[in-house]
Amino acid sequence: MIPYGRQSISDDDIAAVIETLKSDWLTQGPAVPRFEAALCAATGADHAVAVNSATSALHIACLALGLGPGDIAWTVPNTFVASANCALYCGATVDFVDIDPASYNMDTAALEAKLASAEAQGRLPKVLIPVHFGGHSCDMKEIAVLAARYGFHVIEDASHAIGGAYDGGPVGDCRYSDICVFSFHPVKIVTTGEGGAAMTNDPALAEAMRLLRSHGITRDLAVMRGDERGSWVYEQHALGFNYRMTDIAAALGASQMKRLDEFVAKRTALADRYDVLLGNLPVGRPPRRTDRNSAWHLYAINLEAADDNGTLRAHVFEHMRAAGVGVNVHYIPVHFQPYYRALGFRHGEFPGAEKFYARALTLPLFPDLTPDDQDKVVATLKEALA
Ligand SMILES: *Cc1c(COP(=O)(O)O)cnc(C)c1O
């Protein structure tokens, strides 16, 4: 089976992990700040807080921004459940902004309209979590203007997008957001096995997230509040978690970061080639805009002839899987999930995401995908559509 995504591990990556295994540190140690420095260097952000998953990063990002009971967070339905769950972890309420089927991303006009009516009802969100679907940035400039006007915070869920660019700068520089989150799951652009990071230019947010990543505990004498004195003393100042990244993972991440440009270049070349190979097929290709470069986590096509029930998509999916092509579907709208249905969401509420879902098919894309494999993917898709 040709998988839809796969990590690329080099001999140098393996050597970096082995070196860590032979060192004094297995849990968070010197490799974590090394990895964080590489993330800052690649994005231009001032601070990186590496943690054990993007889900953890989203959770502590929401907490650092003060999200709690009585607050509201908005994200898109066309995402992995973690983009919404992070707000529920904080006791906040979640709602969704529909996507623009042309960009596969949050529809900025829908956002503006929803904000106007939310303001009238006194139900404005405290945090907005736009998701850079497939690695293609949302309209962050427009979102930042709305954030200033309506007074909400912005967390970019850039789980797909490290190595991408927007408006002349790297995704993750936080020019238009408070915090930007990356995932290092093996199917994503860069991997640490499991892992994530939160980028920010705000030192207070960085400090709050560092505290939350490790039990809310500090060893910094300058901020001690209690009566205990001695070099063994640590103090708990917040209800934090054990979200630390291991040094084993960070060593792999630091080594992978040296290959970020190579990964994105390979993914881009394969995406360009898909665009050409699919030229004569009745499928919508992923969006391209001159002011942004995708990191190409996903190459998701839109089966234009498909129905809203997804019958054609199901047929194409099963045909391709049976032929050894590991296509996938991103995403079942979050509000379709039984857990979210139980919170009161209904089918039909976010038609952009629902129409997209019924037609969406993710083709295999990863740095070591060969042109032969890619030809097989397209030939199999043609058969399935015939
Ligand atoms: C993968 C992913 C996450 C979660 O990442 P983990 O590192 O697995 O926790 C969150 N949001 C989106 C959009 C993702 O694709």
Side-chain angles (χ1 to χ4, degrees):
M1 180 79 77
I2 303 169
Y4 88 90
R6 190 180 198 288
Q7 68 277 12
S8 170
I9 301 295
S10 69
D11 288 345
D12 283 351
D13 293 337
I14 292 167
V17 170
I18 290 174
E19 198 183 314
T20 306
L21 288 172
K22 292 177 176 168
S23 78
D24 293 337
W25 293 93
L26 294 185
T27 186
Q28 186 176 309
V32 168
R34 213 158 22 88
F35 180 44
E36 290 173 338
L39 293 170
C40 289
T43 58
D46 290 341
H47 308 278
V49 180
V51 289
N52 59 359
S53 72
T55 304
S56 302
L58 287 164
H59 183 193
I60 62 175
C62 286
L63 288 174
L65 290 168
L67 192 71
D71 293 327
I72 304 167
W74 291 357
T75 184
V76 281
N78 182 35
T79 186
F80 185 56
V81 291
S83 313
N85 289 346
C86 58
L88 298 183
Y89 296 158
C90 303
T93 302
V94 169
D95 200 358
F96 301 96
V97 180
D98 207 356
I99 64 158
D100 172 358
S103 72
Y104 305 181
N105 275 335
M106 184 177 284
D107 181 336
T108 313
L111 171 64
E112 192 163 3
K114 194 174 173 103
L115 285 165
S117 73
E119 185 178 45
Q121 296 161 21
R123 302 265 307 149
L124 282 170
K126 184 166 196 169
V127 172
L128 182 76
I129 308 173
V131 179
H132 303 321
F133 182 89
H136 199 247
S137 177
C138 296
D139 298 328
M140 294 310 301
K141 251 174 153 165
E142 290 80 354
I143 287 171
V145 169
L146 293 170
R149 187 187 326 157
Y150 289 98
F152 57 84
H153 298 294
V154 179
I155 302 171
E156 294 172 76
D157 185 344
S159 290
H160 301 180
I162 192 169
Y166 171 76
D167 187 35
V171 170
D173 64 7
C174 300
R175 255 180 311 160
Y176 301 113
S177 65
D178 298 279
I179 296 169
C180 178
V181 166
F182 295 130
S183 171
F184 308 118
H185 180 281
V187 296
K188 308 283 165 73
I189 310 286
V190 161
T191 192
T192 60
E194 295 279 3
M199 314 300 296
T200 184
N201 293 326
D202 181 330
L205 288 177
E207 206 39 55
M209 291 192 289
R210 284 201 187 97
L211 204 63
L212 289 166
R213 129 176 106 180
S214 193
H215 308 282
I217 282 174
T218 181
R219 291 175 181 276
D220 181 355
L221 286 174
V223 300
M224 295 279 175
R225 298 171 193 164
D227 301 326
E228 298 304 308
R229 287 292 172 270
S231 41
W232 63 87
V233 172
Y234 56 84
E235 284 186 354
Q236 183 185 346
H237 288 178
L239 186 60
F241 309 89
N242 181 351
Y243 282 171
R244 291 187 303 265
M245 175 175 276
T246 67
D247 247 33
I248 304 165
L252 176 57
S255 179
Q256 287 257 303
M257 282 302 288
K258 295 181 189 158
R259 306 174 61 206
L260 176 62
D261 293 346
E262 170 205 329
F263 287 154
V264 175
K266 284 183 167 168
R267 287 175 175 277
T268 303
L270 289 163
D272 290 349
R273 191 161 181 271
Y274 265 137
D275 271 12
V276 174
L277 295 175
L278 297 174
N280 295 323
L281 291 179
V283 299
R285 289 165 292 175
R288 296 195 180 243
R289 293 272 299 273
T290 52
D291 63 346
R292 62 201 79 179
N293 295 326
S294 182
W296 290 111
H297 164 50
L298 300 176
Y299 192 95
I301 60 170
N302 197 327
L303 301 174
E304 286 160 346
D307 53 289
D308 283 344
N309 295 325
T311 318
L312 175 69
R313 196 271 312 286
H315 161 76
V316 172
F317 183 99
E318 299 301 348
H319 180 98
M320 293 183 77
R321 279 282 178 103
V325 177
V327 286
N328 214 325
V329 174
H330 297 94
Y331 285 96
I332 302 165
V334 177
H335 68 289
F336 281 12
Q337 294 295 345
Y339 189 87
Y340 281 83
R341 294 293 296 277
L343 296 177
F345 293 102
R346 302 176 315 279
H347 278 88
E349 242 182 304
F350 303 101
E354 295 173 23
K355 273 182 186 307
F356 177 72
Y357 164 60
R359 293 163 178 78
L361 190 72
T362 300
L363 303 183
L365 178 64
F366 49 92
D368 301 328
L369 182 71
T370 65
D372 280 355
D373 282 344
Q374 210 181 9
D375 291 342
K376 177 179 171 179
V377 171
V378 176
T380 311
L381 174 64
K382 261 183 202 160
E383 274 168 30
L385 288 169

